[in-house]
Amino acid sequence: MNRIVKATFAALTCFGAVVAAPASADTIANPANSYGSPYLSGSLTGGNQTQYFGETFTASISGNLTDFQFTLNTSTLQSVYGIVFAWDGTGPTTELYRSAVRSGAAGLFDFAPTGVLLTQGKTYVAFLSTFGLTGNSGLATVGSCLPFVGCASNSIPNLGTLVIGNVLGDGPVFNSLSYLDATFSATITAAAVPEPATWVLMIVGMGVVGYALRRRQRLETLRRQPANG
């Protein structure tokens, strides 16, 4: 194995040692569940029109939304799905994620989006929804809480407010209920970045390759020069 191959192998070994620092994550959570009157309807009969139930939140860091959760206290719903939008202060705008449809049975609903990039300081809204599910039926009470019975919403950084979407003849109308919050959590995971030691290894590896190439070129030049008579 000649010097250039050895040098290249050494450099590749350095690159192979690149290990990104663990990605940091931040969870915006409201775990209280002391009030369950808000409801979610599977159909539009009997005056039950609420087919979106959600919470706004502000991204505390830039990164990927990797998890969000809601709770149904009681439910006869056939099915629901999770959905995330950008929020402009009055309503949802761009749809960023929609889960597969799943059973609407009571309990914890845990969604794991992929490819949903959030920007620090921007506000978003996540929902449990039944809107558009044909043949759906049933009614659910949704886990939420009031500030004066254990849900200190104003003290939870980056948590927004509960939002419901009432479906009328011309489509959903969204209302932000400042006196309520959903039992909700959202986890944002920042992208992994190389550790400082990793950058040193990369620089050293590239230096080794560069040195080996220059040395090889000098040797080739010397070989081509005619011998002195």
Side-chain angles (χ1 to χ4, degrees):
M1 185 181 293
N2 60 31
R3 290 188 182 91
I4 188 66
V5 173
K6 289 181 179 179
T8 304
F9 180 79
L12 289 174
T13 301
C14 290
F15 282 111
V18 172
V19 178
S24 62
D26 193 22
T27 298
I28 303 163
N30 171 31
N33 187 18
S34 55
Y35 181 76
S37 291
Y39 60 83
L40 186 64
S41 176
S43 64
L44 301 180
T45 60
N48 297 318
Q49 310 296 320
T50 302
Q51 293 197 304
Y52 288 88
F53 180 92
E55 182 82 14
T56 61
F57 63 98
T58 300
S60 51
I61 59 175
S62 293
N64 291 296
L65 177 66
T66 51
D67 185 83
F68 68 95
Q69 299 178 340
F70 286 100
T71 301
L72 291 182
N73 291 334
T74 62
S75 177
T76 57
L77 293 174
Q78 292 181 324
S79 53
V80 297
Y81 59 91
I83 190 167
V84 178
F85 295 90
W87 177 262
D88 68 1
T90 60
T93 56
T94 305
E95 181 180 318
L96 304 176
Y97 168 78
R98 183 187 295 250
S99 77
V101 176
R102 60 177 65 180
S103 168
L108 176 68
F109 288 78
D110 193 335
F111 300 95
T114 57
V116 181
L117 184 62
L118 307 185
T119 301
Q120 184 177 14
K122 298 291 186 180
T123 303
Y124 304 88
V125 60
F127 290 105
L128 269 183
S129 181
T130 59
F131 180 68
L133 299 180
T134 59
N136 202 11
S137 64
L139 188 68
T141 57
V142 187
S144 61
C145 56
L146 291 165
F148 50 82
V149 289
C151 173
S153 60
N154 292 332
S155 68
I156 300 174
N158 302 299
L159 187 68
T161 184
L162 186 147
V163 178
I164 61 171
N166 293 320
V167 180
L168 307 175
D170 54 354
V173 175
F174 294 92
N175 297 292
S176 179
L177 305 181
S178 60
Y179 57 92
L180 283 174
D181 281 288
T183 299
F184 169 77
S185 74
T187 299
I188 305 168
T189 303
V193 296
E195 295 177 342
T198 297
W199 286 112
V200 172
L201 287 174
M202 293 171 66
I203 292 169
V204 170
M206 289 186 288
V208 169
V209 171
Y211 171 79
L213 288 173
R214 288 193 299 273
R215 179 177 173 81
R216 180 62 178 256
Q217 288 171 352
R218 286 197 299 268
L219 291 173
E220 290 294 332
T221 300
L222 289 173
R223 288 194 189 97
R224 292 190 179 98
Q225 289 179 350
N228 294 327

